[in-house]
C-alpha cells in the first residue's frame, strides 16, 4: 500500500487519556505472556532437576514457552504505548489461545478450569481489541472511513 491509501496518523493516538478498554486488553495480553513465562520456567526447572520422564523434552518445552511469551508481552507493551502495530500480534495471540483452551476443556483432569479461564481471557481480550474505542485510540482507520483532513 502506498501512503496515499493508508496515511499514517498524525499523533492522533497521543490525544487524550488512554481508554480503559485499551488498558484492559494490554493487561490481559501481559497476563497471558506472564503465564507463558511462568509455565516455561517451571518446565525448564523440572527438566534441569531431572524430575520428568524426558528431561530434554522438558527443557525444550520450557524454552519454547518462554520464546512464545514474547509475542503477547510485546503486544501488551505496544498497546500500552498506543502503537497501531500491536493490535495484530495481540489478536493473533488470542486466536491461538482458543484452540488451546478447547483442548484443555476436552481433558478429563484438573486442566478444565484452566481451559475455562483461558477461553474467558481470550474472548474478553478479542472483544476489547476489536472495540471501536480501542481502534480509534490506536489510530487505526476502519475500512471506508475518510482520511483525517490536515
Amino acid at each position: 500500500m502506498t501512503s496515499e491509501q493508508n496515511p499514517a496518523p498524525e499523533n492522533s493516538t497521543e490525544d487524550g487519556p488512554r481508554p480503559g478498554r485499551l488498558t484492559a486488553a494490554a493487561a490481559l495480553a501481559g497476563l497471558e505472556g506472564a503465564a507463558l513465562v511462568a509455565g516455561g520456567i517451571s518446565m525448564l526447572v523440572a527438566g534441569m532437576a531431572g524430575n520428568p520422564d524426558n528431561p530434554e523434552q522438558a527443557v525444550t518445552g520450557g524454552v519454547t514457552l518462554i520464546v512464545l511469551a514474547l509475542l503477547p508481552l510485546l503486544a501488551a507493551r505496544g498497546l500500552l504505548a498506543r502503537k497501531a502495530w500491536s493490535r495484530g500480534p495481540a489478536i493473533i495471540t488470542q486466536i491461538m489461545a482458543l484452540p488451546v483452551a478447547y483442548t484443555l476443556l476436552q481433558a478429563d483432569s484438573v486442566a478444565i478450569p484452566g481451559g475455562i479461564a483461558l477461553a474467558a481471557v481470550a474472548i474478553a481480550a478479542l472483544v476489547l481489541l476489536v472495540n471501536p474505542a480501542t481502534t480509534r485510540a490506536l489510530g487505526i482507520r476502519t475500512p471506508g472511513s475518510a482520511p483525517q483532513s490536515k
Side-chain angles (χ1 to χ4, degrees), residues 1-86:
M1 295 186 148
T2 65
S3 60
E4 293 172 359
Q5 293 172 330
N6 194 8
E10 294 181 7
N11 295 336
S12 62
T13 58
E14 299 298 325
D15 298 341
R18 181 185 318 114
R21 289 177 177 98
L22 182 59
T23 304
L28 290 175
L31 176 69
E32 288 172 331
L36 284 169
V37 168
I41 290 173
S42 171
M43 285 180 75
L44 205 55
V45 168
M48 290 182 175
N51 292 339
D53 293 335
N54 189 339
E56 294 83 16
Q57 214 172 25
V59 169
T60 302
V63 170
T64 301
L65 284 180
I66 293 170
V67 170
L68 284 175
L70 291 175
L71 184 65
L73 290 174
L74 288 173
R77 184 172 182 208
L79 289 170
L80 286 175
R82 292 183 167 188
K83 302 294 183 187
W85 61 262
S86 63

